mmCIF file of all heavy atoms in Angstrom:
data_model
loop_
_atom_site.group_PDB
_atom_site.id
_atom_site.type_symbol
_atom_site.label_atom_id
_atom_site.label_comp_id
_atom_site.label_asym_id
_atom_site.label_seq_id
_atom_site.Cartn_x
_atom_site.Cartn_y
_atom_site.Cartn_z
ATOM 1 N N VAL A 27 0.835 -1.202 -0.001
ATOM 2 C CA VAL A 27 -0.001 -0.002 -0.005
ATOM 3 C C VAL A 27 0.872 1.251 0.003
ATOM 4 O O VAL A 27 0.541 2.249 -0.660
ATOM 5 C CB VAL A 27 -0.958 -0.012 1.210
ATOM 6 C CG1 VAL A 27 -1.727 1.284 1.313
ATOM 7 C CG2 VAL A 27 -1.934 -1.182 1.088
ATOM 8 N N LEU A 28 1.988 1.225 0.700
ATOM 9 C CA LEU A 28 2.912 2.363 0.683
ATOM 10 C C LEU A 28 3.445 2.601 -0.721
ATOM 11 O O LEU A 28 3.545 3.751 -1.183
ATOM 12 C CB LEU A 28 4.065 2.119 1.659
ATOM 13 C CG LEU A 28 3.749 2.316 3.141
ATOM 14 C CD1 LEU A 28 4.915 1.841 4.002
ATOM 15 C CD2 LEU A 28 3.446 3.774 3.439
ATOM 16 N N ARG A 29 3.788 1.519 -1.415
ATOM 17 C CA ARG A 29 4.293 1.674 -2.789
ATOM 18 C C ARG A 29 3.211 2.208 -3.705
ATOM 19 O O ARG A 29 3.460 3.034 -4.581
ATOM 20 C CB ARG A 29 4.824 0.340 -3.305
ATOM 21 C CG ARG A 29 6.150 -0.060 -2.717
ATOM 22 C CD ARG A 29 6.828 -1.151 -3.550
ATOM 23 N NE ARG A 29 6.058 -2.390 -3.577
ATOM 24 C CZ ARG A 29 6.142 -3.341 -2.672
ATOM 25 N NH1 ARG A 29 6.971 -3.191 -1.634
ATOM 26 N NH2 ARG A 29 5.434 -4.441 -2.776
ATOM 27 N N LEU A 30 1.974 1.736 -3.516
ATOM 28 C CA LEU A 30 0.873 2.256 -4.331
ATOM 29 C C LEU A 30 0.675 3.751 -4.104
ATOM 30 O O LEU A 30 0.403 4.493 -5.041
ATOM 31 C CB LEU A 30 -0.418 1.509 -4.007
ATOM 32 C CG LEU A 30 -0.495 0.033 -4.432
ATOM 33 C CD1 LEU A 30 -1.833 -0.553 -4.007
ATOM 34 C CD2 LEU A 30 -0.302 -0.123 -5.919
ATOM 35 N N SER A 31 0.794 4.183 -2.867
ATOM 36 C CA SER A 31 0.613 5.612 -2.572
ATOM 37 C C SER A 31 1.727 6.430 -3.179
ATOM 38 O O SER A 31 1.519 7.585 -3.590
ATOM 39 C CB SER A 31 0.544 5.837 -1.059
ATOM 40 O OG SER A 31 1.765 5.484 -0.441
ATOM 41 N N GLU A 32 2.944 5.867 -3.273
ATOM 42 C CA GLU A 32 4.053 6.599 -3.887
ATOM 43 C C GLU A 32 3.875 6.746 -5.383
ATOM 44 O O GLU A 32 4.464 7.639 -5.999
ATOM 45 C CB GLU A 32 5.371 5.868 -3.593
ATOM 46 C CG GLU A 32 5.789 5.940 -2.127
ATOM 47 C CD GLU A 32 6.946 5.010 -1.818
ATOM 48 O OE1 GLU A 32 7.412 4.319 -2.756
ATOM 49 O OE2 GLU A 32 7.415 5.005 -0.663
ATOM 50 N N GLU A 33 3.063 5.882 -5.997
ATOM 51 C CA GLU A 33 2.804 5.980 -7.426
ATOM 52 C C GLU A 33 1.824 7.093 -7.772
ATOM 53 O O GLU A 33 1.710 7.480 -8.928
ATOM 54 C CB GLU A 33 2.240 4.654 -7.950
ATOM 55 C CG GLU A 33 3.211 3.490 -7.889
ATOM 56 C CD GLU A 33 2.553 2.181 -8.339
ATOM 57 O OE1 GLU A 33 1.351 2.246 -8.717
ATOM 58 O OE2 GLU A 33 3.213 1.148 -8.298
ATOM 59 N N GLU A 34 1.096 7.583 -6.764
ATOM 60 C CA GLU A 34 0.103 8.606 -7.011
ATOM 61 C C GLU A 34 0.752 9.947 -7.334
ATOM 62 O O GLU A 34 1.916 10.185 -7.002
ATOM 63 C CB GLU A 34 -0.816 8.757 -5.781
ATOM 64 C CG GLU A 34 -1.625 7.519 -5.476
ATOM 65 C CD GLU A 34 -2.638 7.213 -6.557
ATOM 66 O OE1 GLU A 34 -3.103 8.162 -7.199
ATOM 67 O OE2 GLU A 34 -2.961 6.020 -6.751
ATOM 68 N N PRO A 35 0.032 10.877 -7.991
ATOM 69 C CA PRO A 35 0.595 12.193 -8.299
ATOM 70 C C PRO A 35 1.003 12.937 -7.031
ATOM 71 O O PRO A 35 0.568 12.613 -5.928
ATOM 72 C CB PRO A 35 -0.552 12.923 -9.014
ATOM 73 C CG PRO A 35 -1.502 11.864 -9.429
ATOM 74 C CD PRO A 35 -1.338 10.714 -8.473
ATOM 75 N N ALA A 36 1.823 13.963 -7.220
ATOM 76 C CA ALA A 36 2.326 14.745 -6.072
ATOM 77 C C ALA A 36 1.206 15.418 -5.314
ATOM 78 O O ALA A 36 1.337 15.761 -4.148
ATOM 79 C CB ALA A 36 3.340 15.779 -6.562
ATOM 80 N N THR A 37 0.064 15.653 -5.986
ATOM 81 C CA THR A 37 -1.047 16.298 -5.312
ATOM 82 C C THR A 37 -1.736 15.393 -4.305
ATOM 83 O O THR A 37 -2.564 15.805 -3.542
ATOM 84 C CB THR A 37 -2.092 16.756 -6.353
ATOM 85 O OG1 THR A 37 -2.442 15.636 -7.163
ATOM 86 C CG2 THR A 37 -1.514 17.850 -7.221
ATOM 87 N N GLY A 38 -1.364 14.090 -4.337
ATOM 88 C CA GLY A 38 -1.944 13.170 -3.358
ATOM 89 C C GLY A 38 -2.827 12.141 -4.021
ATOM 90 O O GLY A 38 -3.330 12.349 -5.119
ATOM 91 N N PRO A 39 -3.039 11.021 -3.369
ATOM 92 C CA PRO A 39 -3.862 9.941 -3.930
ATOM 93 C C PRO A 39 -5.325 10.239 -3.812
ATOM 94 O O PRO A 39 -5.984 9.872 -2.866
ATOM 95 C CB PRO A 39 -3.473 8.738 -3.068
ATOM 96 C CG PRO A 39 -3.084 9.343 -1.763
ATOM 97 C CD PRO A 39 -2.479 10.669 -2.069
ATOM 98 N N VAL A 40 -5.857 10.959 -4.808
ATOM 99 C CA VAL A 40 -7.260 11.355 -4.743
ATOM 100 C C VAL A 40 -7.972 10.946 -6.008
ATOM 101 O O VAL A 40 -7.370 10.755 -7.061
ATOM 102 C CB VAL A 40 -7.417 12.883 -4.525
ATOM 103 C CG1 VAL A 40 -6.836 13.301 -3.195
ATOM 104 C CG2 VAL A 40 -6.735 13.661 -5.655
ATOM 105 N N GLU A 41 -9.234 10.818 -5.905
ATOM 106 C CA GLU A 41 -10.090 10.639 -7.070
ATOM 107 C C GLU A 41 -11.036 11.829 -7.117
ATOM 108 O O GLU A 41 -10.927 12.757 -6.323
ATOM 109 C CB GLU A 41 -10.856 9.326 -6.966
ATOM 110 C CG GLU A 41 -11.800 9.270 -5.791
ATOM 111 C CD GLU A 41 -12.657 8.012 -5.799
ATOM 112 O OE1 GLU A 41 -12.642 7.283 -6.805
ATOM 113 O OE2 GLU A 41 -13.325 7.772 -4.798
ATOM 114 N N ARG A 42 -12.015 11.792 -8.060
ATOM 115 C CA ARG A 42 -12.948 12.900 -8.179
ATOM 116 C C ARG A 42 -13.649 13.150 -6.853
ATOM 117 O O ARG A 42 -14.137 12.237 -6.207
ATOM 118 C CB ARG A 42 -13.983 12.562 -9.268
ATOM 119 C CG ARG A 42 -14.897 13.726 -9.589
ATOM 120 C CD ARG A 42 -15.941 13.289 -10.567
ATOM 121 N NE ARG A 42 -16.789 12.282 -9.953
ATOM 122 C CZ ARG A 42 -17.597 11.504 -10.644
ATOM 123 N NH1 ARG A 42 -17.609 11.553 -11.960
ATOM 124 N NH2 ARG A 42 -18.371 10.618 -10.023
ATOM 125 N N GLY A 43 -13.653 14.402 -6.446
ATOM 126 C CA GLY A 43 -14.275 14.748 -5.170
ATOM 127 C C GLY A 43 -13.290 14.763 -4.026
ATOM 128 O O GLY A 43 -13.652 15.052 -2.898
ATOM 129 N N GLY A 44 -12.013 14.464 -4.296
ATOM 130 C CA GLY A 44 -10.998 14.559 -3.253
ATOM 131 C C GLY A 44 -10.993 13.411 -2.274
ATOM 132 O O GLY A 44 -10.509 13.540 -1.169
ATOM 133 N N THR A 45 -11.536 12.243 -2.648
ATOM 134 C CA THR A 45 -11.594 11.105 -1.741
ATOM 135 C C THR A 45 -10.354 10.254 -1.877
ATOM 136 O O THR A 45 -10.016 9.818 -2.966
ATOM 137 C CB THR A 45 -12.834 10.255 -2.024
ATOM 138 O OG1 THR A 45 -13.979 11.086 -1.948
ATOM 139 C CG2 THR A 45 -12.962 9.137 -1.023
ATOM 140 N N THR A 46 -9.645 10.010 -0.784
ATOM 141 C CA THR A 46 -8.473 9.177 -0.826
ATOM 142 C C THR A 46 -8.842 7.743 -1.166
ATOM 143 O O THR A 46 -9.764 7.192 -0.628
ATOM 144 C CB THR A 46 -7.756 9.203 0.543
ATOM 145 O OG1 THR A 46 -7.433 10.552 0.851
ATOM 146 C CG2 THR A 46 -6.480 8.394 0.498
ATOM 147 N N VAL A 47 -8.093 7.138 -2.093
ATOM 148 C CA VAL A 47 -8.382 5.770 -2.468
ATOM 149 C C VAL A 47 -7.250 4.828 -2.067
ATOM 150 O O VAL A 47 -7.421 3.630 -2.086
ATOM 151 C CB VAL A 47 -8.646 5.618 -3.990
ATOM 152 C CG1 VAL A 47 -9.883 6.381 -4.362
ATOM 153 C CG2 VAL A 47 -7.454 6.092 -4.812
ATOM 154 N N VAL A 48 -6.061 5.329 -1.775
ATOM 155 C CA VAL A 48 -4.978 4.477 -1.309
ATOM 156 C C VAL A 48 -4.939 4.538 0.208
ATOM 157 O O VAL A 48 -4.670 5.566 0.796
ATOM 158 C CB VAL A 48 -3.636 4.906 -1.918
ATOM 159 C CG1 VAL A 48 -2.506 4.054 -1.351
ATOM 160 C CG2 VAL A 48 -3.681 4.761 -3.420
ATOM 161 N N GLY A 49 -5.190 3.444 0.836
ATOM 162 C CA GLY A 49 -5.341 3.339 2.283
ATOM 163 C C GLY A 49 -6.429 2.323 2.552
ATOM 164 O O GLY A 49 -7.433 2.299 1.853
ATOM 165 N N ALA A 50 -6.219 1.453 3.523
ATOM 166 C CA ALA A 50 -7.187 0.381 3.719
ATOM 167 C C ALA A 50 -7.042 -0.200 5.108
ATOM 168 O O ALA A 50 -6.029 -0.013 5.794
ATOM 169 C CB ALA A 50 -6.972 -0.714 2.674
ATOM 170 N N THR A 51 -8.079 -0.926 5.526
ATOM 171 C CA THR A 51 -8.032 -1.750 6.738
ATOM 172 C C THR A 51 -8.162 -3.201 6.298
ATOM 173 O O THR A 51 -8.680 -3.493 5.224
ATOM 174 C CB THR A 51 -9.152 -1.388 7.715
ATOM 175 O OG1 THR A 51 -10.424 -1.711 7.117
ATOM 176 C CG2 THR A 51 -9.110 0.092 8.071
ATOM 177 N N CYS A 52 -7.698 -4.125 7.148
ATOM 178 C CA CYS A 52 -7.723 -5.521 6.765
ATOM 179 C C CYS A 52 -7.646 -6.395 8.008
ATOM 180 O O CYS A 52 -7.030 -6.018 9.023
ATOM 181 C CB CYS A 52 -6.549 -5.833 5.829
ATOM 182 S SG CYS A 52 -6.522 -7.532 5.216
ATOM 183 N N LEU A 53 -8.291 -7.559 7.957
ATOM 184 C CA LEU A 53 -8.173 -8.577 8.985
ATOM 185 C C LEU A 53 -7.894 -9.903 8.286
ATOM 186 O O LEU A 53 -8.595 -10.268 7.336
ATOM 187 C CB LEU A 53 -9.452 -8.673 9.812
ATOM 188 C CG LEU A 53 -9.408 -9.543 11.087
ATOM 189 C CD1 LEU A 53 -10.433 -9.050 12.099
ATOM 190 C CD2 LEU A 53 -9.678 -11.026 10.783
ATOM 191 N N TYR A 54 -6.853 -10.613 8.756
ATOM 192 C CA TYR A 54 -6.487 -11.877 8.164
ATOM 193 C C TYR A 54 -6.429 -12.936 9.262
ATOM 194 O O TYR A 54 -5.835 -12.714 10.314
ATOM 195 C CB TYR A 54 -5.130 -11.785 7.470
ATOM 196 C CG TYR A 54 -4.683 -13.073 6.804
ATOM 197 C CD1 TYR A 54 -5.412 -13.634 5.771
ATOM 198 C CD2 TYR A 54 -3.525 -13.722 7.208
ATOM 199 C CE1 TYR A 54 -5.019 -14.817 5.159
ATOM 200 C CE2 TYR A 54 -3.115 -14.901 6.605
ATOM 201 C CZ TYR A 54 -3.869 -15.438 5.579
ATOM 202 O OH TYR A 54 -3.478 -16.611 4.980
ATOM 203 N N ALA A 55 -7.092 -14.066 9.004
ATOM 204 C CA ALA A 55 -7.143 -15.146 9.981
ATOM 205 C C ALA A 55 -6.822 -16.469 9.291
ATOM 206 O O ALA A 55 -7.197 -16.676 8.134
ATOM 207 C CB ALA A 55 -8.534 -15.231 10.610
ATOM 208 N N VAL A 56 -6.115 -17.346 10.004
ATOM 209 C CA VAL A 56 -5.799 -18.689 9.503
ATOM 210 C C VAL A 56 -6.369 -19.697 10.494
ATOM 211 O O VAL A 56 -6.018 -19.687 11.685
ATOM 212 C CB VAL A 56 -4.280 -18.885 9.344
ATOM 213 C CG1 VAL A 56 -3.990 -20.326 8.948
ATOM 214 C CG2 VAL A 56 -3.715 -17.926 8.310
ATOM 215 N N TYR A 57 -7.255 -20.566 10.014
ATOM 216 C CA TYR A 57 -7.870 -21.588 10.863
ATOM 217 C C TYR A 57 -7.263 -22.951 10.556
ATOM 218 O O TYR A 57 -7.183 -23.357 9.386
ATOM 219 C CB TYR A 57 -9.378 -21.624 10.658
ATOM 220 C CG TYR A 57 -10.045 -22.735 11.450
ATOM 221 C CD1 TYR A 57 -10.110 -22.678 12.839
ATOM 222 C CD2 TYR A 57 -10.589 -23.851 10.802
ATOM 223 C CE1 TYR A 57 -10.692 -23.699 13.570
ATOM 224 C CE2 TYR A 57 -11.172 -24.867 11.522
ATOM 225 C CZ TYR A 57 -11.212 -24.789 12.905
ATOM 226 O OH TYR A 57 -11.792 -25.802 13.639
ATOM 227 N N ASP A 58 -6.849 -23.658 11.608
ATOM 228 C CA ASP A 58 -6.256 -24.980 11.487
ATOM 229 C C ASP A 58 -7.205 -26.005 12.075
ATOM 230 O O ASP A 58 -7.388 -26.068 13.301
ATOM 231 C CB ASP A 58 -4.906 -25.022 12.210
ATOM 232 C CG ASP A 58 -4.161 -26.330 12.011
ATOM 233 O OD1 ASP A 58 -4.741 -27.248 11.392
ATOM 234 O OD2 ASP A 58 -3.002 -26.427 12.442
ATOM 235 N N PRO A 59 -7.842 -26.844 11.240
ATOM 236 C CA PRO A 59 -8.815 -27.813 11.768
ATOM 237 C C PRO A 59 -8.154 -28.947 12.539
ATOM 238 O O PRO A 59 -8.853 -29.671 13.263
ATOM 239 C CB PRO A 59 -9.501 -28.329 10.505
ATOM 240 C CG PRO A 59 -8.478 -28.185 9.433
ATOM 241 C CD PRO A 59 -7.714 -26.947 9.780
ATOM 242 N N ALA A 60 -6.849 -29.132 12.392
ATOM 243 C CA ALA A 60 -6.186 -30.194 13.140
ATOM 244 C C ALA A 60 -6.125 -29.870 14.631
ATOM 245 O O ALA A 60 -6.242 -30.744 15.484
ATOM 246 C CB ALA A 60 -4.784 -30.423 12.592
ATOM 247 N N SER A 61 -5.962 -28.577 14.947
ATOM 248 C CA SER A 61 -5.856 -28.163 16.341
ATOM 249 C C SER A 61 -7.055 -27.352 16.816
ATOM 250 O O SER A 61 -7.208 -27.110 18.016
ATOM 251 C CB SER A 61 -4.588 -27.331 16.544
ATOM 252 O OG SER A 61 -4.642 -26.137 15.765
ATOM 253 N N GLY A 62 -7.913 -26.890 15.889
ATOM 254 C CA GLY A 62 -9.011 -26.015 16.257
ATOM 255 C C GLY A 62 -8.561 -24.616 16.627
ATOM 256 O O GLY A 62 -9.303 -23.857 17.248
ATOM 257 N N CYS A 63 -7.346 -24.253 16.232
ATOM 258 C CA CYS A 63 -6.771 -22.959 16.591
ATOM 259 C C CYS A 63 -6.907 -21.993 15.413
ATOM 260 O O CYS A 63 -6.668 -22.358 14.256
ATOM 261 C CB CYS A 63 -5.304 -23.136 16.984
ATOM 262 S SG CYS A 63 -4.505 -21.606 17.495
ATOM 263 N N CYS A 64 -7.273 -20.755 15.708
ATOM 264 C CA CYS A 64 -7.384 -19.705 14.694
ATOM 265 C C CYS A 64 -6.419 -18.582 15.057
ATOM 266 O O CYS A 64 -6.487 -18.031 16.164
ATOM 267 C CB CYS A 64 -8.809 -19.165 14.610
ATOM 268 S SG CYS A 64 -9.108 -18.034 13.242
ATOM 269 N N THR A 65 -5.508 -18.271 14.143
ATOM 270 C CA THR A 65 -4.521 -17.215 14.350
ATOM 271 C C THR A 65 -4.950 -15.995 13.542
ATOM 272 O O THR A 65 -5.192 -16.094 12.337
ATOM 273 C CB THR A 65 -3.121 -17.669 13.911
ATOM 274 O OG1 THR A 65 -2.813 -18.903 14.562
ATOM 275 C CG2 THR A 65 -2.086 -16.640 14.267
ATOM 276 N N MET A 66 -5.053 -14.837 14.204
ATOM 277 C CA MET A 66 -5.572 -13.638 13.551
ATOM 278 C C MET A 66 -4.658 -12.453 13.786
ATOM 279 O O MET A 66 -3.955 -12.367 14.786
ATOM 280 C CB MET A 66 -6.961 -13.272 14.085
ATOM 281 C CG MET A 66 -7.966 -14.391 14.150
ATOM 282 S SD MET A 66 -9.539 -13.761 14.792
ATOM 283 C CE MET A 66 -10.327 -15.311 15.234
ATOM 284 N N ALA A 67 -4.718 -11.515 12.820
ATOM 285 C CA ALA A 67 -4.074 -10.206 12.971
ATOM 286 C C ALA A 67 -4.925 -9.219 12.184
ATOM 287 O O ALA A 67 -5.550 -9.570 11.177
ATOM 288 C CB ALA A 67 -2.649 -10.248 12.445
ATOM 289 N N ARG A 68 -4.934 -7.971 12.652
ATOM 290 C CA ARG A 68 -5.744 -6.969 11.959
ATOM 291 C C ARG A 68 -4.999 -5.661 11.820
ATOM 292 O O ARG A 68 -4.134 -5.316 12.642
ATOM 293 C CB ARG A 68 -7.079 -6.738 12.685
ATOM 294 C CG ARG A 68 -6.978 -6.236 14.104
ATOM 295 C CD ARG A 68 -8.352 -6.155 14.750
ATOM 296 N NE ARG A 68 -8.309 -5.707 16.137
ATOM 297 C CZ ARG A 68 -9.029 -4.704 16.627
ATOM 298 N NH1 ARG A 68 -9.840 -4.042 15.826
ATOM 299 N NH2 ARG A 68 -8.964 -4.377 17.897
ATOM 300 N N ALA A 69 -5.346 -4.937 10.758
ATOM 301 C CA ALA A 69 -4.740 -3.645 10.482
ATOM 302 C C ALA A 69 -5.849 -2.598 10.478
ATOM 303 O O ALA A 69 -6.446 -2.302 9.453
ATOM 304 C CB ALA A 69 -4.029 -3.671 9.128
ATOM 305 N N GLY A 70 -6.151 -2.066 11.659
ATOM 306 C CA GLY A 70 -7.163 -1.029 11.778
ATOM 307 C C GLY A 70 -8.572 -1.487 11.500
ATOM 308 O O GLY A 70 -9.469 -0.657 11.310
ATOM 309 N N HIS A 71 -8.812 -2.785 11.459
ATOM 310 C CA HIS A 71 -10.126 -3.323 11.096
ATOM 311 C C HIS A 71 -10.898 -3.702 12.350
ATOM 312 O O HIS A 71 -10.298 -4.046 13.370
ATOM 313 C CB HIS A 71 -9.952 -4.559 10.199
ATOM 314 C CG HIS A 71 -11.144 -4.837 9.339
ATOM 315 N ND1 HIS A 71 -11.378 -4.185 8.146
ATOM 316 C CD2 HIS A 71 -12.174 -5.693 9.505
ATOM 317 C CE1 HIS A 71 -12.491 -4.649 7.623
ATOM 318 N NE2 HIS A 71 -13.000 -5.552 8.424
#
C-alpha cells in the first residue's frame, strides 16, 4: 500500500471529489482444523 501511494501524483492519492483511495483496513485469519486454533491479525479493522 505504501508503494501504491508513492505511485500517485504529487497532489496526493485522490479521485474525483478529493476522496483518498490508497489506504485500507484488513483482517487476516488462519484456521487450522487439526488443532481447532485460529490465528488472527488486523490492520485497523
Side-chain angles (χ1 to χ4, degrees):
V27 174
L28 284 172
R29 285 197 297 273
L30 291 178
S31 64
E32 290 170 359
E33 294 176 2
E34 296 294 330
T37 53
V40 296
E41 63 174 350
R42 187 185 65 196
T45 304
T46 302
V47 296
V48 177
T51 65
C52 183
L53 189 153
Y54 181 62
V56 175
Y57 176 69
D58 186 354
S61 63
C63 182
C64 188
T65 306
M66 311 181 197
R68 60 185 179 128
H71 204 82

